Amino acid sequence: MDITVLSIFPRMFQSLDESLIGKAQEKDLVNIDVVDFRDFTTNKQNHVDDSPYGGGAGMLLQAQPIYDAMDYVEEQKPGKKRVILLDPAGKTFNTNMARDFAKEDQLVFICGHYEGFDERIKDLVTDEVSIGDYILTGGELPTMSMIDATLRFVPGVLGNSVSAEDESFSNGLLEYPQYSRPADFRGKKVPEVLTSGDHEKIRIWRLKQSLRKTLERRPDLLNTVELSNEEKHFLREIKSENSLH
């Protein structure tokens, strides 16, 4: 996979050279380039923003530096691209979107700043995406979050193909509790089923715990996920148990 980020703060992305993403780059599983679109300004002051027509507070990112930077990216890396604009008004990023992005050969992220974008920039993009209902100072941190979440679904990045599928939201539910050694720590013991060696009992326990946690903490997710007959049965059991307490 090839990822290009357009940002006026390229040094912020040095953190992507660490941990699993850094190792993925070393293995050539992903290539990440950051293009400073300030380098493409045509004014003497190297400004990438200007006041909006019609008046109003704040400054807008101008179309010209972004367009010229995108022309440069296309010259360097021809081919079909998924171009993502970080925009508070965009669709909320989630696991399904990350999985979808991971199927692409080329991703381009455009990081915004100031009050917003010249509307004409949106003609360049395929997706307008937000990471939640709050405002940050720029699009760099959301972009890094999306890159991290996306690369977890690129084969070889995690080193264990099962890992990404077992985590919260991978099947629309929150992840079940997990434990490691020792089995007894300060009197807090690991549930016996997990040390039983009975894989079917462990699977059922984990599924029930996942459903229970989702019901307690994110019941809204249960309205969007398609549950199997088994999951529906266990969920009814859990709700019945809760009603008795």
Side-chain angles (χ1 to χ4, degrees):
M1 170 178 280
D2 190 278
I3 296 175
T4 303
V5 180
L6 271 58
S7 168
I8 55 175
F9 297 105
R11 286 188 297 175
M12 290 183 68
F13 291 89
Q14 291 176 356
S15 61
L16 295 181
D17 294 332
E18 304 294 331
S19 190
L20 291 176
I21 296 180
K23 292 179 180 178
Q25 293 184 76
E26 292 174 0
K27 296 177 183 177
D28 292 327
L29 296 173
V30 60
N31 177 67
I32 301 175
D33 292 317
V34 185
V35 174
D36 187 345
F37 59 84
R38 193 184 295 278
D39 294 339
F40 296 87
T41 58
T42 57
N43 59 76
K44 294 181 180 179
Q45 295 78 22
N46 280 345
H47 288 165
V48 295
D49 62 312
D50 207 339
S51 55
Y53 279 114
M59 305 289 277
L60 296 180
L61 281 178
Q62 296 171 287
Q64 177 270 315
I66 301 292
Y67 268 75
D68 286 358
M70 285 297 297
D71 288 343
Y72 168 79
V73 172
E74 183 58 35
E75 290 174 3
Q76 298 296 311
K77 304 175 181 181
K80 182 181 177 182
K81 297 174 178 60
R82 191 90 173 254
V83 182
I84 299 130
L85 181 69
L86 280 296
D87 187 345
K91 293 181 179 179
T92 304
F93 185 72
N94 57 30
T95 293
N96 288 335
M97 201 177 293
R99 189 182 284 109
D100 195 31
F101 286 171
K103 298 175 183 176
E104 302 291 336
D105 292 327
Q106 292 193 54
L107 295 176
V108 178
F109 292 88
I110 303 177
C111 302
H113 273 273
Y114 314 113
E115 185 65 21
F117 298 89
D118 184 306
E119 189 71 13
R120 291 166 290 190
I121 292 173
K122 295 181 179 180
D123 291 338
L124 296 170
V125 311
T126 57
D127 302 85
E128 297 174 39
V129 185
S130 165
I131 61 167
D133 296 334
Y134 51 91
I135 306 297
L136 298 176
T137 56
E140 283 75 17
L141 293 177
T143 292
M144 284 186 269
S145 295
M146 292 184 195
I147 289 174
D148 188 291
T150 296
L151 291 180
R152 297 179 71 81
F153 292 103
V154 173
V157 171
L158 290 184
N160 180 355
S161 60
V162 178
S163 296
E165 298 302 329
D166 276 346
E167 294 171 339
S168 290
F169 307 113
S170 62
N171 62 349
L173 303 173
L174 298 184
E175 189 178 19
Y176 49 80
Q178 298 196 72
Y179 300 84
S180 185
R181 292 182 177 84
D184 186 337
F185 177 70
R186 296 187 179 183
K188 301 178 186 294
K189 297 182 179 180
V190 173
E192 289 184 11
V193 64
L194 298 179
T195 60
S196 68
D198 189 320
H199 297 295
E200 179 60 13
K201 287 184 179 180
I202 292 172
R203 183 192 70 82
I204 292 174
W205 182 88
R206 285 175 169 173
L207 178 55
K208 286 184 175 180
Q209 292 297 316
S210 179
L211 287 164
R212 190 183 305 278
K213 182 187 286 189
T214 304
L215 179 63
E216 293 174 352
R217 302 186 184 183
R218 289 291 306 275
D220 56 296
L221 295 176
L222 296 172
N223 296 323
T224 60
V225 65
E226 185 174 344
L227 298 177
S228 67
N229 289 332
E230 181 185 45
E231 289 168 335
K232 291 177 182 177
H233 171 72
F234 289 149
L235 184 60
R236 286 193 297 268
E237 282 188 357
I238 293 167
K239 289 181 176 179
S240 178
E241 292 170 4
N242 290 348
S243 67
L244 296 176
H245 295 296

